[in-house]
């Protein structure tokens, strides 16, 4: 079965599609935002349709196989979800399991960085821009930095460079303050 041409939803029942979502969380091994999960399962790959993924994600949370991480917009797999997956993961077609394993290996660190190093900017009434940069751990915000910059060009520069410079920035501020 070549699921990449038509997507899997037409071929697999809802139970298997829910197992695919659990398998993605298990293999990524990090909490994921709903938007990230939707991108992984529907845009980056054709494992599920967008609407099916949204529906099954909600159902998995309601049945406590997934949970919303406190003080975060992320979702993760529960122990019950891991147990369920352990019993039934072989029902997921091996070609999809292989794809998910490969995808997780190649992309896990990129998603971890994207979720750990958050950055956004907004325009202020006076024409300046406020850039908010954060470093998050799994359970708390380690650092939040707000800078007001003169123009959108500087705000975009900070936005684009934050992921690459966040750990250095944190170390510099930490060492300077504790020195």
């Amino acid at each position: 079965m070549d699921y990449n041409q038509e997507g899997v939803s037409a071929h697999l029942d809802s139970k298997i599609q829910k197992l695919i979502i659990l398998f993605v969380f298990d293999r990524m091994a990090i909490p994921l935002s709903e938007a990230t999960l939707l991108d992984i399962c529907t845009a980056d790959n054709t494992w599920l349709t967008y609407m099916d993924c949204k529906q099954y994600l909600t159902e998995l949370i309601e049945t406590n196989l997934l949970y919303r991480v406190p003080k975060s917009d992320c979702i993760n797999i529960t122990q019950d979800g891991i147990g369920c997956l352990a019993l039934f993961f072989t029902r997921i077609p091996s070609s999809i399991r292989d794809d998910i394993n490969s995808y997780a290996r190649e992309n896990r660190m990129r998603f971890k960085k994207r979720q750990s190093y958050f950055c956004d900017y907004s325009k202020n009434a006076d024409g300046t821009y406020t850039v908010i940069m954060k470093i998050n751990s799994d359970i708390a915000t380690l650092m939040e930095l707000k800078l007001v910059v003169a123009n959108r060009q500087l705000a975009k520069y900070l936005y684009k460079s934050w992921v690459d410079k966040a750990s250095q920035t944190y170390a510099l501020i930490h060492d300077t303050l504790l020195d």
Side-chain angles (χ1 to χ4, degrees), residues 45-57:
N45 302 283
T46 56
W47 302 324
L48 302 168
T49 66
Y50 180 87
M51 293 307 292
D52 285 345
C53 191
K54 278 197 71 81
Q55 176 186 340
Y56 299 142
L57 180 62

PDB file of all heavy atoms in Angstrom, residues 45-57:
ATOM      1  N   ASN A  45       4.164  15.090   6.526  1.00  0.00           N
ATOM      2  CA  ASN A  45       3.917  13.704   6.126  1.00  0.00           C
ATOM      3  C   ASN A  45       2.423  13.571   5.841  1.00  0.00           C
ATOM      4  O   ASN A  45       1.647  14.453   6.163  1.00  0.00           O
ATOM      5  CB  ASN A  45       4.327  12.751   7.258  1.00  0.00           C
ATOM      6  CG  ASN A  45       5.781  12.924   7.634  1.00  0.00           C
ATOM      7  OD1 ASN A  45       6.668  12.462   6.939  1.00  0.00           O
ATOM      8  ND2 ASN A  45       6.032  13.630   8.733  1.00  0.00           N
ATOM      9  N   THR A  46       2.018  12.453   5.277  1.00  0.00           N
ATOM     10  CA  THR A  46       0.600  12.251   4.982  1.00  0.00           C
ATOM     11  C   THR A  46       0.043  11.087   5.796  1.00  0.00           C
ATOM     12  O   THR A  46      -0.721  10.274   5.298  1.00  0.00           O
ATOM     13  CB  THR A  46       0.375  11.997   3.470  1.00  0.00           C
ATOM     14  OG1 THR A  46       1.180  10.885   3.068  1.00  0.00           O
ATOM     15  CG2 THR A  46       0.712  13.225   2.661  1.00  0.00           C
ATOM     16  N   TRP A  47       0.436  11.025   7.049  1.00  0.00           N
ATOM     17  CA  TRP A  47      -0.024   9.919   7.891  1.00  0.00           C
ATOM     18  C   TRP A  47      -1.496  10.070   8.255  1.00  0.00           C
ATOM     19  O   TRP A  47      -2.185   9.086   8.451  1.00  0.00           O
ATOM     20  CB  TRP A  47       0.823   9.816   9.154  1.00  0.00           C
ATOM     21  CG  TRP A  47       2.288   9.633   8.891  1.00  0.00           C
ATOM     22  CD1 TRP A  47       2.856   8.904   7.877  1.00  0.00           C
ATOM     23  CD2 TRP A  47       3.375  10.197   9.613  1.00  0.00           C
ATOM     24  NE1 TRP A  47       4.226   8.979   7.935  1.00  0.00           N
ATOM     25  CE2 TRP A  47       4.567   9.763   9.000  1.00  0.00           C
ATOM     26  CE3 TRP A  47       3.454  11.011  10.729  1.00  0.00           C
ATOM     27  CZ2 TRP A  47       5.825  10.111   9.470  1.00  0.00           C
ATOM     28  CZ3 TRP A  47       4.705  11.364  11.191  1.00  0.00           C
ATOM     29  CH2 TRP A  47       5.868  10.917  10.577  1.00  0.00           C
ATOM     30  N   LEU A  48      -1.966  11.311   8.393  1.00  0.00           N
ATOM     31  CA  LEU A  48      -3.356  11.598   8.765  1.00  0.00           C
ATOM     32  C   LEU A  48      -3.847  12.820   8.009  1.00  0.00           C
ATOM     33  O   LEU A  48      -3.042  13.632   7.558  1.00  0.00           O
ATOM     34  CB  LEU A  48      -3.456  11.897  10.272  1.00  0.00           C
ATOM     35  CG  LEU A  48      -2.982  10.832  11.246  1.00  0.00           C
ATOM     36  CD1 LEU A  48      -2.887  11.409  12.645  1.00  0.00           C
ATOM     37  CD2 LEU A  48      -3.913   9.645  11.238  1.00  0.00           C
ATOM     38  N   THR A  49      -5.175  12.963   7.943  1.00  0.00           N
ATOM     39  CA  THR A  49      -5.713  14.220   7.435  1.00  0.00           C
ATOM     40  C   THR A  49      -5.746  15.204   8.599  1.00  0.00           C
ATOM     41  O   THR A  49      -5.764  14.805   9.778  1.00  0.00           O
ATOM     42  CB  THR A  49      -7.141  14.060   6.880  1.00  0.00           C
ATOM     43  OG1 THR A  49      -8.028  13.726   7.944  1.00  0.00           O
ATOM     44  CG2 THR A  49      -7.197  13.020   5.769  1.00  0.00           C
ATOM     45  N   TYR A  50      -5.806  16.479   8.276  1.00  0.00           N
ATOM     46  CA  TYR A  50      -5.816  17.519   9.299  1.00  0.00           C
ATOM     47  C   TYR A  50      -6.994  17.342  10.265  1.00  0.00           C
ATOM     48  O   TYR A  50      -6.832  17.365  11.474  1.00  0.00           O
ATOM     49  CB  TYR A  50      -5.874  18.893   8.610  1.00  0.00           C
ATOM     50  CG  TYR A  50      -5.884  20.050   9.572  1.00  0.00           C
ATOM     51  CD1 TYR A  50      -4.693  20.586  10.045  1.00  0.00           C
ATOM     52  CD2 TYR A  50      -7.081  20.614  10.007  1.00  0.00           C
ATOM     53  CE1 TYR A  50      -4.683  21.653  10.923  1.00  0.00           C
ATOM     54  CE2 TYR A  50      -7.085  21.683  10.891  1.00  0.00           C
ATOM     55  CZ  TYR A  50      -5.883  22.193  11.345  1.00  0.00           C
ATOM     56  OH  TYR A  50      -5.877  23.242  12.224  1.00  0.00           O
ATOM     57  N   MET A  51      -8.187  17.170   9.717  1.00  0.00           N
ATOM     58  CA  MET A  51      -9.389  17.061  10.561  1.00  0.00           C
ATOM     59  C   MET A  51      -9.361  15.807  11.425  1.00  0.00           C
ATOM     60  O   MET A  51      -9.735  15.854  12.596  1.00  0.00           O
ATOM     61  CB  MET A  51     -10.653  17.105   9.708  1.00  0.00           C
ATOM     62  CG  MET A  51     -10.865  18.457   9.032  1.00  0.00           C
ATOM     63  SD  MET A  51     -10.827  19.867  10.168  1.00  0.00           S
ATOM     64  CE  MET A  51     -12.316  19.586  11.096  1.00  0.00           C
ATOM     65  N   ASP A  52      -8.924  14.687  10.870  1.00  0.00           N
ATOM     66  CA  ASP A  52      -8.819  13.454  11.659  1.00  0.00           C
ATOM     67  C   ASP A  52      -7.816  13.635  12.794  1.00  0.00           C
ATOM     68  O   ASP A  52      -8.061  13.245  13.935  1.00  0.00           O
ATOM     69  CB  ASP A  52      -8.400  12.270  10.787  1.00  0.00           C
ATOM     70  CG  ASP A  52      -9.515  11.750   9.902  1.00  0.00           C
ATOM     71  OD1 ASP A  52     -10.693  12.090  10.146  1.00  0.00           O
ATOM     72  OD2 ASP A  52      -9.202  11.000   8.948  1.00  0.00           O
ATOM     73  N   CYS A  53      -6.695  14.240  12.489  1.00  0.00           N
ATOM     74  CA  CYS A  53      -5.655  14.438  13.501  1.00  0.00           C
ATOM     75  C   CYS A  53      -6.180  15.307  14.646  1.00  0.00           C
ATOM     76  O   CYS A  53      -5.989  14.972  15.820  1.00  0.00           O
ATOM     77  CB  CYS A  53      -4.412  15.058  12.862  1.00  0.00           C
ATOM     78  SG  CYS A  53      -2.961  15.057  13.928  1.00  0.00           S
ATOM     79  N   LYS A  54      -6.858  16.407  14.321  1.00  0.00           N
ATOM     80  CA  LYS A  54      -7.431  17.273  15.368  1.00  0.00           C
ATOM     81  C   LYS A  54      -8.441  16.518  16.217  1.00  0.00           C
ATOM     82  O   LYS A  54      -8.430  16.606  17.446  1.00  0.00           O
ATOM     83  CB  LYS A  54      -8.098  18.506  14.746  1.00  0.00           C
ATOM     84  CG  LYS A  54      -7.120  19.600  14.402  1.00  0.00           C
ATOM     85  CD  LYS A  54      -7.758  20.933  14.175  1.00  0.00           C
ATOM     86  CE  LYS A  54      -8.312  21.629  15.346  1.00  0.00           C
ATOM     87  NZ  LYS A  54      -7.391  22.364  16.187  1.00  0.00           N
ATOM     88  N   GLN A  55      -9.320  15.778  15.565  1.00  0.00           N
ATOM     89  CA  GLN A  55     -10.358  15.032  16.285  1.00  0.00           C
ATOM     90  C   GLN A  55      -9.749  13.970  17.195  1.00  0.00           C
ATOM     91  O   GLN A  55     -10.101  13.868  18.373  1.00  0.00           O
ATOM     92  CB  GLN A  55     -11.310  14.361  15.295  1.00  0.00           C
ATOM     93  CG  GLN A  55     -12.356  13.483  15.963  1.00  0.00           C
ATOM     94  CD  GLN A  55     -13.199  12.707  14.968  1.00  0.00           C
ATOM     95  OE1 GLN A  55     -13.278  13.049  13.803  1.00  0.00           O
ATOM     96  NE2 GLN A  55     -13.831  11.647  15.446  1.00  0.00           N
ATOM     97  N   TYR A  56      -8.821  13.181  16.669  1.00  0.00           N
ATOM     98  CA  TYR A  56      -8.242  12.095  17.456  1.00  0.00           C
ATOM     99  C   TYR A  56      -7.335  12.620  18.563  1.00  0.00           C
ATOM    100  O   TYR A  56      -7.245  12.014  19.635  1.00  0.00           O
ATOM    101  CB  TYR A  56      -7.507  11.110  16.557  1.00  0.00           C
ATOM    102  CG  TYR A  56      -8.423  10.463  15.540  1.00  0.00           C
ATOM    103  CD1 TYR A  56      -7.995  10.199  14.255  1.00  0.00           C
ATOM    104  CD2 TYR A  56      -9.744  10.138  15.868  1.00  0.00           C
ATOM    105  CE1 TYR A  56      -8.841   9.622  13.323  1.00  0.00           C
ATOM    106  CE2 TYR A  56     -10.598   9.562  14.939  1.00  0.00           C
ATOM    107  CZ  TYR A  56     -10.143   9.303  13.671  1.00  0.00           C
ATOM    108  OH  TYR A  56     -10.978   8.727  12.753  1.00  0.00           O
ATOM    109  N   LEU A  57      -6.690  13.738  18.344  1.00  0.00           N
ATOM    110  CA  LEU A  57      -5.889  14.357  19.392  1.00  0.00           C
ATOM    111  C   LEU A  57      -6.774  14.722  20.578  1.00  0.00           C
ATOM    112  O   LEU A  57      -6.448  14.415  21.731  1.00  0.00           O
ATOM    113  CB  LEU A  57      -5.171  15.587  18.850  1.00  0.00           C
ATOM    114  CG  LEU A  57      -4.281  16.349  19.823  1.00  0.00           C
ATOM    115  CD1 LEU A  57      -3.148  15.469  20.314  1.00  0.00           C
ATOM    116  CD2 LEU A  57      -3.721  17.588  19.151  1.00  0.00           C
TER     117      LEU A  57
END
